Amino acid sequence: MIRYFKIEDIEKINELGNKITSNFSKTNDLEKIKEDKFTKILVYETENRVVAFLMYTELEETIDINDIFVEEEYRRKNIASCLLDYMISELKSSIKLITLEVRKSNTKAIQLYEKFGFSIYHTRKDYYGTEDAYLMGRSIER
């Protein structure tokens, strides 16, 4: 089941987020984000357990995907695809562009984003410390 996160999900989202980057819970105050009208978090729940999340920032005409993470044992089950599909299906009519940064070495994520119509726009040198990132985007046609 996909839904927007609740306050009781904070501990689990922080646990998952800290697997992306060790300071996730320090740099993302999820209680404040819950009240923030721009930042949204979708969670994927199975058997009453949050196993994945997608965090994005929604502005007037653009969305920037901040993080997407699926627990190791639930990968390769289309969960990330389901989260992206759900987010895209819920877009406000004013949204014209979705962007994200992805590690240049993360070929599986790049393939996933390309499946959803994202293209590489630019390379950001040393974006992840010493590793480059691709800026990817997808225009929304209506």
Side-chain angles (χ1 to χ4, degrees), residues 27-88:
T27 58
N28 293 285
D29 185 338
L30 298 182
E31 286 186 28
K32 284 185 182 175
I33 285 173
K34 185 70 180 142
E35 304 305 317
D36 178 350
K37 67 179 185 173
F38 301 109
T39 305
K40 315 274 189 228
I41 302 175
L42 293 171
V43 298
Y44 189 98
E45 184 179 52
T46 184
E47 299 170 4
N48 293 320
R49 183 170 164 232
V50 172
V51 299
F53 75 93
L54 168 64
M55 181 171 20
Y56 61 97
T57 304
E58 183 179 76
L59 300 173
E60 188 59 36
E61 295 183 348
T62 62
I63 282 182
D64 186 45
I65 296 175
N66 303 322
D67 291 300
I68 185 167
F69 185 81
V70 179
E71 275 195 64
E72 185 73 37
E73 66 189 272
Y74 291 93
R75 292 183 186 167
R76 291 167 290 290
K77 298 181 187 300
N78 287 324
I79 291 173
S81 291
C82 289
L83 285 166
L84 281 167
D85 192 50
Y86 187 91
M87 182 197 74
I88 291 167

